[in-house]
Amino acid sequence: MEIKVSFHPHALLRMDERGASQEEVIQAIREGERFPAKFERTGFRRNFPFEGLWQERHYANKQVEAFAVSEKNGWLIITVIVRYF
């Protein structure tokens, strides 16, 4: 069964600011680590090869963390954090 993923407008803004795509967030949910988060939310985390520039610095990898609430048949993404390393 396919997991339905929807994005809150706040999450879309943060993704744009922080350099994450919808595809990366969906991959984090489907293939990444799942962990409990504050406010009864669920976090999802996955590392991706990056080998690129972010804010004029080179990084080999990036980590995408998505924080979500459960909805009927899926997840509503509330916010996304991206770390480069």
Side-chain angles (χ1 to χ4, degrees):
M1 182 171 152
E2 191 72 19
I3 298 170
K4 180 184 171 216
V5 178
S6 55
F7 294 86
H8 188 278
H10 172 84
L12 294 171
L13 286 172
R14 296 302 170 252
M15 290 164 54
D16 187 49
E17 288 175 354
R18 298 170 179 166
S21 69
Q22 289 187 20
E23 293 79 20
E24 289 170 330
V25 171
I26 291 168
Q27 265 191 292
I29 290 169
R30 291 184 179 154
E31 302 168 10
E33 172 189 2
R34 182 176 173 167
F35 58 93
K38 291 181 181 179
F39 310 114
E40 297 181 15
R41 295 181 179 159
T42 302
F44 298 90
R45 178 185 303 127
R46 187 173 188 278
N47 293 340
F48 295 90
F50 183 65
E51 292 301 338
L53 293 176
W54 177 252
Q55 297 184 344
E56 300 180 23
R57 293 186 62 185
H58 182 269
Y59 296 95
N61 300 291
K62 78 175 173 179
Q63 181 180 81
V64 175
E65 281 188 349
F67 294 90
V69 292
S70 181
E71 286 192 319
K72 187 175 166 182
N73 300 323
W75 296 100
L76 171 62
I77 307 304
I78 302 299
T79 196
V80 174
I81 296 176
V82 182
R83 294 179 181 89
Y84 294 86
F85 56 98

